[in-house]
Amino acid sequence: MAVGTAAITSSSVDFHHLVDPNRKWYNNRRLIILHAWLVLLLITSSTNGFDGSLMNSLQSMTHWQTFFNRPEGGTLGLLNAIQNIGSLAAYPFSPYLSDGIGRRPSVWIGANIMIAGSILQTVCQDINQFIGARFLIGFGLGIAGSAAAMLVTEASYPVYRPQVSSLYNTLWYSGNIIASWAAFGTARINSDWSWRIPSVLQAIPSVLQFFLVWFVPESPRWLVSKGKETQALRTLAYYHADGDESDPLVLYEFEEIKAAINLDREVKKNVGWKALVATKGNRKRMMVVVAIAWFSQWSGNGLVSYYLNQVFDTIGITDTNVQLLITGILAIWNFIWAALGSFQAERLGRRFLFLTSAVGMTLFFTLQTICSARYAVSQSDVAAHAVIAFIFLYYAAYDIAFSPLIVSYTLEILPYSLRAKGFNVFNFAISLALIFNQYVNPIALGKLGWKYYIVYCCWLVFETAFLYFFIIETKGRTLEETAALFDGPGEDLHKIQSPANAATEVRQDDYDSEKASDSPLKV
C-alpha cells in the first residue's frame, strides 16, 4: 500500500478554488438543465432494478405461475438468469460502441432493444417468448447501461460529480420500488394482466430515452478523443460556466482532459484489452474493480434479492401478501440508505463508507444467521421477527456503499482510455456473480437451510480485510486526477495537471487584472 498512500498524499492543485461559489445546482439554469439530462441517463439503472424485483414478484402471482405451467428447477433458474446472460452477450460490443460512435448513440440503441424486449414480454404467449424477451432486455441494458453510466460521470459538473455518479446505481432501487408496489397492486387483478401490466411499466425509462436522449450533451472526453476539441470546450463552457469559454474552471477541465488523453495516446501500453493488465497500476485497478463487482453480489445480498421468498419460508413467513408487502417496504428502505450514501460520498469519503459498510454487513449478517438458527431449533416467533429486523439492518449497511459507490468508484479510478473496457469487465464480473447466485443459492438453501449463511459470514470477514488494504481514497479530485492515483507519485499526474494549472493561472491573472481595472468604474 506504500504506493497508494504516497499517491494520496502527493501534492496536487485542487480545482475547488476555481469554482464560482455562487453557481449552485439549484440556482443556476444551465446546471439545472444539465442535471435534468443526467437524470434521463440515471434512470437506465431503474430498468435494471425493475427487472431485479419483477421476477421475485412474478413468482408469487398465481396467474403467472398458471400461464407458464409453474416453472421450477432448471427452467426457473434460466428465467432468473437469462437477463444477465443477455447482458453478457452484449458486453463484447458495448465498449466498441461507446468509444466508437459515442456514449449518447449507444444509450439510444440500447433503449430501442429494451423497448422491443418489453413489448415481447408483455404480449408473449409461451415461456420461450418470455425467455427471449428477457434476453433482449438484458442485451439492451448491457449496451445502454455502460454508456449511460460513463456519460453521467464524464459530463457532470466536477463539484457534484461524486454525488451524481453515485446516484446511478442508487436509482436501481427506484425501479425496484416501482416493480415491487406495481406487482403488489396488480396481483389482485384476476387475469393475465396481473403480470403483463408490470411488463409494460418496465419500458417507461427506455421510451423516455428513445425520444429525449439526443438532447443530452455528449461526453467532452469522448469529443476530445475524436479530435472535436472545439465542441468539447463549447459543451463544458455551456453547462459548467454559462457559456464562458475563458472561465478558469472550464479551462482547467479542458486542458486536463486533453493532457490525459494525449498521454494515453503517447503510451501504447494504455491502448487495447492488454492494457488492462499491462502495468502495475492497471493490474491494481482491475483487481479492485473485479473485487468490488463480485462483492456487490456475493455479500449475502443475493439471497434476499432473488430468493427472498425462500428466505421467508425458512423462518415461517409463507403468506403471499405479507411477502410482497415486506419486499415493497424493503425496497423503499434500501433507496433511502443508498441515497444517503450517495450524498455523503464526497464529505465522508469512499474508503470510510466502504469500510463502514463491510463491518456493518459482517455484524448484521452474522446476527441474522444466529437468529435463523434459533428459529430452526425452536420455531420461535421472536427469532423470526429478529431475522427480518437484521435483514433490514444488513441492507442499511450494504446500501451506504455498495449501492451508490461501486459504479462511480469504478469509473473514476479508470483513465479514459481504459474506462469503457474496464467498466465492461466490471459488468461482466457482476453478471457472472449474479448467474452463480441464481443457480447455486436456491440449491444450497434447499439442502443446507440457514447453515448456508455461514459461508457468507466467513466471506464477509475476508471482504472487509480486502477493502481495508486495497481501497484508496479519491475524494476532492477531478476525474483525471483520480484515475492517476493508482499509477503512483510518478510523472503522469504531473503531466496531466501541469497544462491545466498553467492555463488557469493565466486566466486567474487576467480575471484579477480585469477586477482591478474595473473597480474604479463600479464605485
Side-chain angles (χ1 to χ4, degrees):
M1 283 298 289
V3 173
T5 305
I8 296 169
T9 57
S10 62
S11 61
S12 65
V13 179
D14 192 279
F15 70 89
H16 287 86
H17 71 288
L18 303 172
V19 175
D20 182 350
N22 297 317
R23 187 176 290 130
K24 304 291 186 182
W25 65 268
Y26 54 83
N27 66 8
N28 184 273
R29 187 174 66 88
R30 298 281 176 87
L31 285 181
I32 292 172
I33 293 171
L34 173 63
H35 288 130
W37 294 135
L38 295 183
V39 168
L40 182 68
L41 301 171
L42 292 171
I43 61 175
T44 308
S45 187
S46 299
T47 303
N48 196 9
F50 193 104
D51 189 85
S53 177
L54 183 62
M55 282 308 300
N56 224 347
S57 299
L58 292 183
Q59 292 172 62
S60 298
M61 292 185 178
T62 302
H63 283 283
W64 184 85
Q65 291 281 4
T66 301
F67 190 87
F68 293 112
N69 297 317
R70 302 189 179 278
E72 57 184 18
T75 302
L76 182 59
L78 179 60
L79 283 171
N80 278 308
I82 191 63
Q83 189 254 28
N84 292 299
I85 294 172
S87 294
L88 280 173
Y91 293 151
F93 307 101
S94 59
Y96 295 105
L97 282 172
S98 294
D99 284 346
I101 64 175
R103 290 19 176 164
R104 189 172 55 178
S106 298
V107 173
W108 188 79
I109 291 172
N112 275 271
I113 297 172
M114 286 188 283
I115 291 171
S118 297
I119 292 172
L120 179 58
Q121 183 170 299
T122 302
V123 302
C124 70
Q125 297 301 311
D126 58 51
I127 198 165
N128 292 325
Q129 291 179 3
F130 191 85
I131 291 172
R134 287 181 49 72
F135 178 89
L136 283 176
I137 292 171
F139 192 88
L141 189 61
I143 294 173
S146 296
M150 288 188 289
L151 184 50
V152 167
T153 299
E154 293 170 356
S156 291
Y157 190 59
V159 176
Y160 302 124
R161 177 184 56 78
Q163 296 90 334
V164 174
S165 58
S166 295
L167 280 173
Y168 179 83
N169 215 45
T170 297
L171 286 186
W172 188 95
Y173 286 119
S174 66
N176 187 253
I177 290 169
I178 295 170
S180 298
W181 288 100
F184 183 73
T186 62
R188 290 158 175 75
I189 298 174
N190 190 26
S191 72
D192 291 339
W193 284 103
S194 61
W195 61 268
R196 293 186 191 274
I197 288 175
S199 298
V200 173
L201 297 177
Q202 188 169 8
I204 291 176
S206 300
V207 171
L208 291 174
Q209 290 174 339
F210 175 85
F211 288 107
L212 298 175
V213 77
W214 297 109
F215 296 100
V216 176
E218 183 55 273
S219 164
R221 276 117 181 134
W222 182 82
L223 291 170
V224 170
S225 74
K226 297 300 181 183
K228 301 178 180 181
E229 295 183 0
T230 301
Q231 188 178 344
L233 178 59
R234 189 180 303 121
T235 299
L236 287 169
Y238 183 88
Y239 288 103
H240 294 185
D242 297 319
D244 183 4
E245 295 184 8
S246 63
D247 180 84
L249 176 62
V250 168
L251 285 176
Y252 185 95
E253 290 183 272
F254 182 60
E255 295 299 334
E256 194 171 62
I257 290 168
K258 286 200 303 179
I261 291 175
N262 288 335
L263 181 63
D264 286 337
R265 285 172 177 162
E266 292 172 7
V267 183
K268 291 184 178 180
K269 63 185 176 183
N270 286 341
V271 179
W273 288 98
K274 289 184 179 179
L276 295 175
V277 292
T279 67
K280 182 179 179 181
N282 288 350
R283 287 191 292 273
K284 185 176 179 182
R285 281 187 183 94
M286 294 314 301
M287 178 180 66
V288 171
V289 165
V290 171
I292 63 175
W294 191 268
F295 293 164
S296 73
Q297 305 303 322
W298 226 75
S299 297
N301 55 308
L303 291 174
V304 178
S305 296
Y306 287 89
Y307 294 98
L308 184 57
N309 294 342
Q310 291 190 31
V311 174
F312 284 147
D313 290 342
T314 65
I315 56 173
I317 299 176
T318 57
D319 183 83
T320 297
N321 287 328
V322 174
Q323 289 183 354
L324 288 171
L325 182 61
I326 294 175
T327 300
I329 294 172
L330 182 61
I332 296 173
W333 171 265
N334 285 335
F335 179 75
I336 291 170
W337 283 99
L340 179 65
S342 298
F343 293 119
Q344 296 302 313
E346 188 68 2
R347 192 168 79 88
L348 298 179
R350 285 64 147 174
R351 179 177 168 83
F352 175 83
L353 289 176
F354 269 122
L355 291 177
T356 301
S357 175
V359 171
M361 285 192 296
T362 304
L363 173 63
F364 295 129
F365 199 87
T366 301
L367 292 172
Q368 176 189 332
T369 302
I370 293 171
C371 291
S372 296
R374 290 301 305 158
Y375 178 82
V377 172
S378 64
Q379 303 294 301
S380 165
D381 288 342
V382 174
H385 294 153
V387 170
I388 299 299
F390 285 125
I391 285 175
F392 275 76
L393 290 172
Y394 162 84
Y395 261 104
Y398 176 92
D399 289 329
I400 61 171
F402 281 90
S403 288
L405 296 185
I406 58 169
V407 170
S408 59
Y409 191 78
T410 294
L411 291 174
E412 69 185 7
I413 67 175
L414 290 168
Y416 177 82
S417 62
L418 303 181
R419 191 165 293 140
K421 294 181 177 66
F423 192 50
N424 206 48
V425 172
F426 167 85
N427 285 318
F428 184 81
I430 283 184
S431 293
L432 285 181
L434 281 169
I435 292 170
F436 178 89
N437 279 345
Q438 289 156 355
Y439 275 108
V440 174
N441 281 343
I443 297 172
L445 272 176
K447 291 185 178 296
L448 300 176
W450 68 267
K451 295 177 183 177
Y452 182 48
Y453 299 168
I454 296 174
V455 174
Y456 285 105
C457 291
C458 297
W459 178 263
L460 283 165
V461 173
F462 164 76
E463 189 173 308
T464 303
F466 181 95
L467 294 171
Y468 178 81
F469 286 108
F470 292 105
I471 290 293
I472 291 177
E473 186 53 72
T474 60
K475 70 177 182 178
R477 295 177 181 271
T478 65
L479 202 55
E480 280 65 38
E481 291 165 358
T482 298
L485 285 177
F486 280 76
D487 298 314
E491 292 296 317
D492 286 1
L493 184 59
H494 175 72
K495 289 179 181 178
I496 291 171
Q497 288 180 328
S498 293
N501 293 338
T504 50
E505 284 171 7
V506 171
R507 284 305 308 151
Q508 200 65 51
D509 290 342
D510 290 346
Y511 270 35
D512 293 340
S513 298
E514 289 170 9
K515 287 182 178 180
S517 61
D518 288 347
S519 296
L521 299 176
K522 294 180 180 179
V523 175

